[in-house]
């Protein structure tokens, strides 16, 4: 939901800022939008892709990641009960 909200706001700003004489310069608005989302989210999205490739490069990596998450949930629940 966060990314949808951010990109929606960036798109609206690009369209509003790209208006001239009541019309939208679509190529300019599109370029402004791409620059804006790349600046705002590009680094995080690239990092997520790298992490995903690392964790899920094999079935064993996926199994290990899932097992690790299950253990973290167990520990969290145990700590909350203290």
């Amino acid at each position: 939901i966060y990314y949808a909200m951010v990109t929606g706001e960036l798109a609206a700003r690009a369209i509003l800022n790209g208006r001239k004489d009541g019309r939208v310069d679509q190529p300019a608005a599109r370029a402004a939008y791409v620059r804006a989302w790349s600046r705002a989210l590009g680094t995080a999205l690239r990092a997520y892709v790298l992490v995903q490739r690392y964790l899920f490069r094999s079935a064993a990596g996926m199994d290990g990641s899932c097992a690790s998450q299950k253990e973290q949930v167990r520990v969290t629940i145990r700590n909350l009960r203290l």
Side-chain angles (χ1 to χ4, degrees):
I1 293 175
Y2 170 76
Y3 292 120
M5 292 173 58
V6 170
T7 56
E9 182 179 349
L10 295 172
R13 286 183 185 181
I15 290 168
L16 292 174
N17 292 335
R19 290 183 2 215
K20 285 185 180 179
D21 300 324
R23 294 179 162 228
V24 176
D25 179 353
Q26 291 183 7
R30 185 179 299 113
Y33 169 72
V34 169
R35 281 192 308 275
W37 80 255
S38 184
R39 228 178 294 128
L41 304 173
T43 301
L45 293 176
R46 282 189 292 278
Y48 296 148
V49 168
L50 292 174
V51 169
Q52 182 181 14
R53 286 181 185 162
Y54 174 77
L55 290 176
F56 302 126
R57 68 186 180 275
S58 67
M62 287 191 290
D63 290 344
S65 176
C66 292
S68 173
Q69 292 299 316
K70 287 179 186 177
E71 182 56 26
Q72 285 181 341
V73 168
R74 282 191 209 107
V75 169
T76 300
I77 290 171
R78 192 176 322 125
N79 288 336
L80 289 172
R81 290 182 182 160
L82 295 178

